[in-house]
Amino acid sequence: MALSMIYSPLLLLLVSCSRRVVSKTTGPTPAPLVPTSTLPTYVKSVVLKGESHTERLELLNPVNLTLECTWAGNQNKEPNITGWWLKDGNDVPNSRVPVELQNEQYNLRGVFSVNNDTTLGNYSCVFANEARIDFLLEAPQIGDVREKPIVSYIGDSTVITCKMDDTKPMPITWNWFRDNGTEKEQIIAESSRFEIKNDERKTRLVVHDLTEEDSGLYYCGAVFAISTPMSHVKLKVITIMEPLKPFLAILVEVVVLVAAILLYEKTQSKKKATAENVPSADQNNTVTQEEPNGPEGSPSTRQRKV
Amino acid sequence: MNLSVHDTYTFAAGELNMSPAAASNLDYTPPDGGWGWAVVFASFISIGFSYAFPKSLTIFFKEIQEYFSVSYSDIAWISSVMLASMYAGGPISSILVNRYGSRPVVMAGGLMVCAGMVLASFGTSIIHLYLCVGVIGGVGLAFNLQPALTIISTYFQAKRPLANGLAMTGSPVLLSTLAPLNQFLFDSFGWRGSFLILGSIVLNCCVAGALMRPVNKLVKPKPDIELSKRNGEEVEGIGKQPDAHLSVDKENSCQRCLYRFIDFSLFKHRGFLIYLVGNVAMFFGFFAPVVFLAPYAKDLGIDEYSAAFLLSIFALVDMFIRPATGLIGNTKWVRPRIQYFFSFAVLYNGVCHLLCPLATGYTGLVVYSVFFGSAFGMLSALLFEVLMDLVGAPRFSTAVGLVTIIECGPVLLGPPLSGALVDIFGDYKYMYYACGVMMLVPGIYFFIMHYYNYKKLEEEHRKSADVEKRTSDEAVTLNANQDDQPVNE
């Protein structure tokens, strides 16, 4: 969905609550399924041509939601067009209504009961396939998701955390889930190996005595009245052998280099020592220069150079 | 057949009628090349690990903090303990280098850090980490830093600033290598596995140690008065030990003991005192700006990756400036007055920080990072070169040990104090002003004091030249009177 904030059609948004009133109420007591009260409305700027616009809504509690769309229309300004609603790209049944041009504007209004995961999602009002406004309804999302896996070792314990941003509302509580192949299974804190510590905005799952089977995805869910948004962290459990291999490899490299350097130095100094002995032999053994007799070039035949 | 390094240090320095200043205080000619370049490479590695290793460990802190359920400041203590141990281990390192030479100490240091990291990888509490990574690791790194610096002073004389500049480049290069490497290790092996592998990586310091062959002392020195004048080194001898150059065995064993441990006579050394006082003041404002660069950028509204990129720019500029500074320091115009170059570097840092608050927006900060990188690099490259220049090679080992342990205080207190400034005023600019002043004042102090010191040195040099002339005249007359006696040499 394009998030073009700059050019957008004029729209009015009315949000109403049925049970928990967030702000002032106006109007008489309505019939069921019709809005009971109104909340702050806000107006967006007008766009001349039909563009799309996306609006994000964070809901904590179940509501009866009224969404109103207003479109300024295109050049044709037909007196009557059709408008309808989409939910997650699918037509909402019985939502296709004729829209009259009033005061140079088209108005479309929809009422939706939003109270759980399935009713949250993307609601769109469409004007005759020309203009469209998307409303993204969701519970507060857990930011700060850790993308890289946590690596831990067999027998060790590990800590997995989830945090709700300071800017977002606080969840009622936190739950942890483990992927069981087919579905997510909730982790019960009472079992010996798992420990769950909940602070208001943070939750920690401590797993003791890790085994290789503990690898996989772990889900933390922030519980709100309306739904439980989740975020996942991957845990990888490895043996001590894994880091041990590079450790030993580098160890071998160091030993080889040190030995090579020290050996090189020894041979160098040996060469120097033999080189130094030769000139002194020349000085003391002019005889041996002419008669290379090795062992006979002994001190007894030495002659001092003048 | 190489003489062990410690023999040099037991000789008295600056025998007046033999080797004034320069090849000074050394009774042999340093190679200034040859195997020296391998030693520079070895020092590059050792110094690099010493400075970069503690900084690169911060990548693991968040995970370790969650694992042990402690606060971030508890974790940050690991870095502080490591740094403190590294600086406090200085004198111990000096003693060992004086006794055994650089090579065994560096290899021992490498083994110590490796052992510390391997033990830490099995750690069960935060205290365990403080001890293994902090204390053992820190002292092991101290055993790398001091000898690496010392051995350069034994191998180089004429090209020493260049050698120092090149060796100090190890720090930014290794930091740039270790940071992404640590991230990769962490993603693949978690913190425990990473510590284990880092233990083996740091064992490469032993390879560096193997390269640190003790220098060949058999080459006789060249009495070169011209050379000494150019280098402007001091001529004064130790004063305590007359005629000690004749024979090591004849030396007073008590004085030898003293000389072998901490040479407190350094505290009477004018140049050393100037250096010490200035450095202690300067170090309060030295590291804090680096630590706060990224937080400052984020405070100005810059996103996390661009802020991290600023540090990369800083490190890159730092990397190239250090050898360049070494080259400049080696030129014949700068070398005799290298203390002024150092003072300029300190001043430059101060000015940089004072001007930083003027930098608004990302481009301003990039410019600041570039200038700061060059200032920091310049200062780091010269930091130990000027100490060598002041005290001479034989006493350098002890000097650097004393300097590091005294600098321990400002190095540890600097960043927290700056952080407190930021918290009190709620604004980073006061911290930058404070750091700027903390570097500007020592810079000016250095200029004044070194001007005075150079003057004094020239005076002393002239005096010693007179004495030398007199003694050589006496020797000539003495030989003239004794020419019928057989001369045994």
Side-chain angles (χ1 to χ4, degrees):
Chain A
M1 316 289 153
L3 257 174
S4 47
M5 302 289 289
I6 305 169
Y7 303 109
S8 57
L10 173 70
L11 59 80
L12 285 168
L13 177 68
L14 294 174
V15 175
S16 59
C17 267
S18 58
R19 271 161 294 217
R20 288 171 214 226
V21 179
V22 181
S23 89
K24 63 177 169 73
T25 45
T26 56
T29 332
L33 291 186
V34 170
T36 51
S37 53
T38 55
L39 280 168
T41 59
Y42 45 96
V43 180
K44 296 283 184 208
S45 52
V46 186
V47 115
L48 300 170
K49 286 202 184 144
E51 275 274 354
S52 63
H53 172 77
T54 309
E55 190 71 24
R56 287 196 118 94
L57 277 177
E58 222 169 60
L59 300 173
L60 301 176
N61 307 306
V63 291
N64 261 337
L65 192 62
T66 304
L67 298 174
E68 276 201 6
C69 299
T70 305
W71 183 44
N74 55 14
Q75 301 102 319
N76 297 347
K77 295 284 183 184
E78 289 161 34
N80 281 308
I81 57 167
T82 328
W84 63 94
W85 287 91
L86 296 175
K87 162 104 176 42
D88 296 326
N90 301 318
D91 276 1
V92 173
N94 305 323
S95 66
R96 203 168 271 262
V97 291
V99 181
E100 262 183 37
L101 183 68
Q102 291 169 344
N103 303 329
E104 304 295 307
Q105 284 175 343
Y106 300 103
N107 292 307
L108 188 60
R109 182 201 242 205
V111 180
F112 306 98
S113 170
V114 186
N115 52 13
N116 59 23
D117 248 337
T118 43
T119 47
L120 284 170
N122 181 8
Y123 290 84
S124 317
C125 60
V126 187
F127 291 99
N129 261 330
E130 298 230 8
R132 174 183 168 145
I133 301 168
D134 294 313
F135 298 92
L136 289 180
L137 308 182
E138 51 189 16
Q141 294 299 302
I142 303 170
D144 215 11
V145 179
R146 192 207 165 108
E147 275 151 20
K148 304 223 184 88
I150 297 181
V151 179
S152 195
Y153 293 89
I154 296 180
D156 197 8
S157 61
T158 188
V159 175
I160 311 177
T161 57
C162 267
K163 186 170 172 249
M164 185 62 95
D165 243 6
D166 289 335
T167 53
K168 305 262 172 102
M170 285 186 330
I172 301 168
T173 183
W174 292 87
N175 284 333
W176 282 90
F177 302 88
R178 177 89 202 276
D179 211 341
N180 207 6
T182 47
E183 56 167 30
K184 300 189 180 80
E185 189 187 293
Q186 180 161 3
I187 296 174
I188 310 158
E190 287 83 45
S191 62
S192 55
R193 291 202 306 136
F194 295 93
E195 245 180 78
I196 299 181
K197 287 185 199 142
N198 289 336
D199 277 332
E200 288 168 342
R201 284 194 189 281
K202 249 180 82 163
T203 180
R204 279 158 48 99
L205 173 70
V206 186
V207 190
H208 298 288
D209 292 321
L210 287 167
T211 61
E212 287 218 39
E213 290 85 46
D214 287 324
S215 305
L217 280 173
Y218 286 78
Y219 297 87
C220 63
V223 176
F224 291 99
I226 195 167
S227 140
T228 303
M230 298 218 220
S231 134
H232 60 90
V233 181
K234 184 155 187 270
L235 178 68
K236 211 168 97 163
V237 183
I238 56 179
T239 63
I240 199 75
M241 289 300 142
E242 301 257 342
L244 206 60
K245 288 183 227 154
F247 174 80
L248 289 172
I250 300 178
L251 197 66
V252 166
E253 169 246 323
V254 167
V255 169
V256 164
L257 279 176
V258 171
I261 293 170
L262 292 177
L263 260 162
Y264 173 69
E265 189 175 317
K266 240 191 171 167
T267 53
Q268 280 268 315
S269 65
K270 266 203 196 132
K271 268 195 225 160
K272 250 195 202 164
T274 46
E276 274 165 13
N277 283 336
V278 172
S280 57
D282 282 350
Q283 268 183 3
N284 301 332
N285 265 330
T286 43
V287 178
T288 43
Q289 261 188 347
E290 293 152 337
E291 296 167 353
N293 285 348
E296 283 181 352
S298 53
S300 54
T301 55
R302 248 180 232 164
Q303 285 178 19
R304 262 189 197 271
K305 248 189 180 167
V306 180
Chain B
M1 201 197 82
N2 294 324
L3 291 173
S4 66
V5 172
H6 85 273
D7 284 350
T8 315
Y9 303 134
T10 53
F11 282 111
E15 187 52 24
L16 293 179
N17 60 352
M18 243 181 92
S19 46
S24 102
N25 310 353
L26 296 169
D27 61 334
Y28 65 96
T29 309
D32 267 310
W35 189 252
W37 297 117
V39 169
V40 167
F41 177 68
S43 300
F44 176 93
I45 306 248
S46 276
I47 294 175
F49 272 113
S50 300
Y51 283 118
F53 198 69
K55 288 185 211 160
S56 68
L57 287 182
T58 54
I59 292 177
F60 301 109
F61 283 179
K62 187 152 178 271
E63 186 72 15
I64 299 178
Q65 178 197 347
E66 276 176 11
Y67 183 85
F68 288 117
S69 333
V70 290
S71 67
Y72 190 77
S73 62
D74 284 342
I75 291 290
W77 265 100
I78 296 181
S79 265
S80 304
V81 172
M82 199 171 197
L83 204 61
S85 305
M86 193 169 98
Y87 276 73
I92 309 172
S93 198
S94 301
I95 297 170
L96 289 172
V97 170
N98 282 345
R99 184 120 177 39
Y100 299 109
S102 292
R103 173 183 270 169
V105 183
V106 172
M107 295 185 83
L111 284 168
M112 271 184 85
V113 188
C114 175
M117 292 305 286
V118 171
L119 283 173
S121 74
F122 295 106
T124 48
S125 74
I126 192 82
I127 309 284
H128 192 130
L129 287 186
Y130 288 154
L131 285 173
C132 295
V133 177
V135 177
I136 302 180
V139 175
L141 289 179
F143 283 8
N144 268 286
L145 181 62
Q146 315 279 68
L149 294 166
T150 308
I151 201 165
I152 292 180
S153 68
T154 65
Y155 264 89
F156 286 89
Q157 177 57 43
K159 299 218 185 92
R160 203 176 57 200
L162 178 62
N164 266 312
L166 282 170
M168 294 297 281
T169 315
S171 172
V173 167
L174 252 86
L175 185 60
S176 308
T177 322
L178 278 178
L181 179 69
N182 278 11
Q183 187 64 54
F184 168 74
L185 285 175
F186 177 60
D187 292 335
S188 315
F189 300 107
W191 71 270
R192 286 188 192 271
S194 302
F195 274 19
L196 190 68
I197 296 177
L198 278 174
S200 68
I201 290 177
V202 95
L203 212 54
N204 281 296
C205 287
C206 290
V207 178
L211 284 169
M212 290 183 185
R213 196 191 291 177
V215 72
N216 187 350
K217 299 276 175 51
L218 298 178
V219 186
K220 283 282 176 245
K222 303 172 197 153
D224 194 348
I225 304 175
E226 278 312 311
L227 191 62
S228 78
K229 266 200 188 146
R230 259 187 289 138
N231 293 346
E233 278 190 31
E234 39 179 284
V235 175
E236 64 184 44
I238 301 278
K240 269 191 188 177
Q241 291 140 326
D243 298 330
H245 77 288
L246 287 174
S247 160
V248 177
D249 303 320
K250 284 187 185 167
E251 212 173 320
N252 193 333
S253 62
C254 200
Q255 285 175 331
R256 189 178 178 165
C257 264
L258 177 71
Y259 206 0
R260 254 207 247 142
F261 292 106
I262 300 293
D263 185 9
F264 285 108
S265 72
L266 273 171
F267 285 109
K268 294 196 201 127
H269 191 289
R270 196 175 50 237
F272 179 73
L273 284 173
I274 297 174
Y275 180 84
L276 192 62
V277 170
N279 267 35
V280 165
M282 175 185 83
F283 266 80
F284 274 106
F286 191 41
F287 289 113
V290 191
V291 172
F292 286 105
L293 185 59
Y296 178 49
K298 283 190 225 164
D299 192 61
L300 285 181
I302 296 171
D303 68 276
E304 200 160 334
Y305 291 106
S306 308
F309 188 59
L310 283 176
L311 280 171
S312 309
I313 298 176
F314 169 81
L316 200 68
V317 176
D318 189 9
M319 224 185 278
F320 287 104
I321 281 289
R322 291 192 194 205
T325 308
L327 263 171
I328 298 174
N330 227 107
T331 58
K332 64 174 193 284
W333 302 286
V334 180
R335 185 81 197 271
R337 298 286 175 255
I338 202 165
Q339 303 295 337
Y340 291 140
F341 192 26
F342 178 66
S343 321
F344 165 73
V346 179
L347 261 177
Y348 178 27
N349 265 285
V351 168
C352 236
H353 297 322
L354 284 173
L355 293 179
C356 175
L358 293 177
T360 48
Y362 192 58
T363 356
L365 276 182
V366 170
V367 171
Y368 168 72
S369 298
V370 170
F371 279 109
F372 181 31
S374 62
F376 192 84
M378 210 186 285
L379 185 57
S380 301
L382 292 172
L383 196 60
F384 294 107
E385 169 58 31
V386 294
L387 185 60
M388 285 184 204
D389 188 61
L390 284 169
V391 302
R395 291 204 280 178
F396 175 72
S397 174
T398 322
V400 78
L402 290 171
V403 160
T404 47
I405 196 170
I406 296 173
E407 276 172 7
C408 203
V411 163
L412 283 176
L413 290 174
L417 279 176
S418 310
L421 266 175
V422 174
D423 290 334
I424 294 173
F425 290 103
D427 194 348
Y428 281 87
K429 67 172 189 222
Y430 294 105
M431 180 209 80
Y432 278 102
Y433 289 146
C435 289
V437 167
M438 286 311 288
M439 302 216 77
L440 202 68
V441 169
I444 298 174
Y445 159 83
F446 275 130
F447 264 118
I448 300 172
M449 293 310 287
H450 283 304
Y451 174 70
Y452 163 72
N453 192 35
Y454 274 134
K455 273 190 125 166
K456 275 278 182 164
L457 282 174
E458 279 192 28
E459 250 177 60
E460 282 163 11
H461 189 85
R462 253 177 282 135
K463 268 194 230 154
S464 75
D466 288 341
V467 169
E468 190 185 324
K469 223 178 146 230
R470 256 181 280 132
T471 48
S472 64
D473 287 344
E474 283 171 18
V476 166
T477 45
L478 198 67
N479 282 340
N481 293 338
Q482 294 175 337
D483 57 4
D484 49 0
Q485 283 186 18
V487 181
N488 286 328
E489 277 171 335

